[in-house]
Amino acid sequence: MTLRTPDGRYIVVRGRLWRAANPHLDDADRARLVRQLMAARRAVGAALASGDAGAERAARDQVNQAKIGLGERGPVWWDDGAPDLNRRMAKNTVYAEWFGGLTQPNSDSVRRAADAPGPRRCPP
């Protein structure tokens, strides 16, 4: 199950906030953009496997465009003036109290993983 902030703006992965898709997209647009995103991610994998740097760059650009369309990147989709906290640790944001008070079964492991050193990676 995906952990979402109370306002639905972010998902939390290993303690880090990642901007959620725009909930105001209609189902057809969302489905089209998700198909484009998955096709672009497959193209990235194929380009990496073949060692084609040009194809990789083009595929990564397609991933970026799909994510912008979904609202996960680019201008924020909310209009109340709240800042974008994408990629920040939840414990260091306005969500700190909420995140610190989670009582879900995996909340302790989420916090431990958030504090652990390691490479910075995009969520799947």
Side-chain angles (χ1 to χ4, degrees):
M1 180 169 185
T2 302
L3 180 61
R4 285 186 171 263
T5 57
D7 57 15
R9 291 179 182 167
Y10 301 95
I11 63 169
V12 183
V13 178
R14 292 188 302 270
R16 189 172 301 279
L17 301 175
W18 295 94
R19 196 182 323 157
N22 183 346
H24 306 295
L25 289 174
D26 65 52
D27 290 341
D29 285 340
R30 180 183 317 281
R32 177 182 52 79
L33 288 163
V34 168
R35 281 193 307 275
Q36 288 175 358
L37 176 60
M38 295 301 106
R41 284 181 170 168
R42 285 189 299 274
V44 168
L48 287 171
S50 70
D52 186 338
E56 179 188 352
R57 180 73 263 148
R60 289 190 186 278
D61 287 344
Q62 291 171 348
V63 167
N64 189 54
Q65 288 305 308
K67 285 186 156 281
I68 289 170
L70 286 165
E72 296 176 11
R73 294 185 183 161
V76 298
W77 45 261
W78 53 88
D79 59 7
D80 64 0
D84 187 9
L85 302 174
N86 197 35
R87 299 184 182 190
R88 298 210 176 121
M89 298 303 291
K91 67 181 183 178
N92 299 327
T93 69
V94 297
Y95 301 103
E97 184 175 343
W98 164 80
F99 186 69
L102 290 176
T103 58
Q104 296 177 355
N106 294 326
S107 63
D108 288 336
S109 62
V110 168
R111 282 195 289 277
R112 277 195 302 277
D115 293 334
R120 295 178 62 156
R121 294 186 45 173
C122 293

